Amino acid sequence: MKITAIKVFVNSVSRNFVTIKIITDEGTYGVGDGTLNGREIAVVKYLEEHIAPCLIGRDPSQIEDIWQYLFKGAYWRKGPVTMTAIGAIDMALWDIKGKVAGMPVYQLLGGKSRKGVTAYGHANGESIDEVMATLGSMIEEGYKVVRLQSALPGAKGTYGTMGGKKNYYELQSDRPLPPELEWNTAKYMNFVPELFRRARAEYGNEIRLCHDVHNRLTPIEAARLGKLLEPYDLLFLEDMVPADNQDTFKLIRQHTTTPLAIGEIFNTVWDAKDLIQNQLIDYCRMAVSHGGGITPLRKVADFAAMYNVRMAPHGAPDLSPIACAAHIHFDLWAPNFAVQEFVGFGTPAMNSVFKFDLKFDDGLLYITDAPGLGVDFDEAEAAKYPYKRSYLPVNRLEDGTMWGW
Ligand code: CS2
Ligand code: MG
């Protein structure tokens, strides 16, 4: 079998997704997700100009060799654009291998370690009351793990709320430039414990809860927040500080027993190595797309397992249903999988383009036993949704200082 073409698509199907199809001389094809929110076109060009021409004529069954070729062969290793492009190729090659074998990808990885994949959903709101109402309905829907995010009263700019959006999968912003928001750490720190106090008071101790700080705090503030939230027994606190300096986590760890999660923007195991090896985190959030594919993610999982760190892959609305499917195969296999972020079944437009048989029942996600990843991409339907430039917001402190969003 030989690769005859690699097609790259970028479409705003409710939001922007980069999708690839690797076509072979035997008619079998594989699909992959190369979406890098706000930097989509960089990945499209990387794939079209620097990857596709090098892979034509190669044997698609050589997944490991192709991965090494793209990683080592670039000379300029790592980085989100390179690794997202490699991730898309890797997913598509696993899809082909599964189709050729007549097996779902989780079987190729080593088979199921569990019957279904525990999902965590998002309860977002403009106020604590709104978050509480959503949490209540999610518990009724069957969720066992829920992430809570609320807007701060009197402040514009908390992470994780819907703002003007009606659907979670809508573009972050339909303005072609990043919206500017404001951030105030003191208001946030005074508010968040109340969000979790209410959740425990109203819904008890059984439901597992988590929260995403989106890299907004300094190390000592992070240490303090972890302590403040200890009484509410979180499954994890995510991204309290950026991990550019992995030593930072030593300070946080000295102060709090709240479990820590990080990794959605990590691109290789090297971003997570010190954190895992020094047992400074509890959950690794690396994704098959931004982390370079299924091939490296299974190595990260095996490495993390030695230190009792569990996998909790990123599953925001800017990962397409192809990455979602790839995660579910990975999660079914990974012995040290913990929980999968899951933000719903998408919009009607998404479902007309990405064909994907996924079920949610009593807190668990199930995928069909279709060969490969079990997700298809309808090119003709996708062509109806041209790419629209869109960016994540940026944040400034109230005095105008640039901050992380
Ligand atoms: C987030 C993401 O889901 C998460 O945990 O941090 O929603 C993140 O903001 C987006 O993926 C950025 O594109
Ligand atoms: Mg996050």
Side-chain angles (χ1 to χ4, degrees), residues 302-368:
D302 283 337
F303 174 60
M306 291 198 283
Y307 301 93
N308 249 307
V309 172
R310 297 167 76 200
M311 303 303 288
H314 189 204
D318 52 289
L319 285 87
S320 91
I322 302 173
C324 178
H327 277 143
I328 291 171
H329 288 278
F330 168 84
D331 301 339
L332 279 171
W333 158 74
N336 55 330
F337 162 77
V339 69
Q340 174 64 53
E341 184 178 23
F342 176 64
V343 289
F345 293 91
T347 61
M350 280 172 66
N351 295 323
S352 71
V353 170
F354 298 96
K355 303 280 167 32
F356 178 28
D357 193 357
L358 184 68
K359 293 199 171 40
F360 176 80
D361 182 36
D362 201 26
L364 300 181
L365 290 166
Y366 298 91
I367 198 167
T368 52

Side-chain angles (χ1 to χ4, degrees), residues 123-127 131 147 149-152 157-165 168 172 181 405:
N124 302 322
E126 296 304 314
S127 64
V131 179
R147 187 185 92 169
Q149 309 286 147
S150 168
L152 287 182
T158 318
Y159 163 74
T161 58
M162 296 280 275
K165 294 197 293 179
Y168 209 37
Q172 198 78 32
L181 302 177
W405 177 74

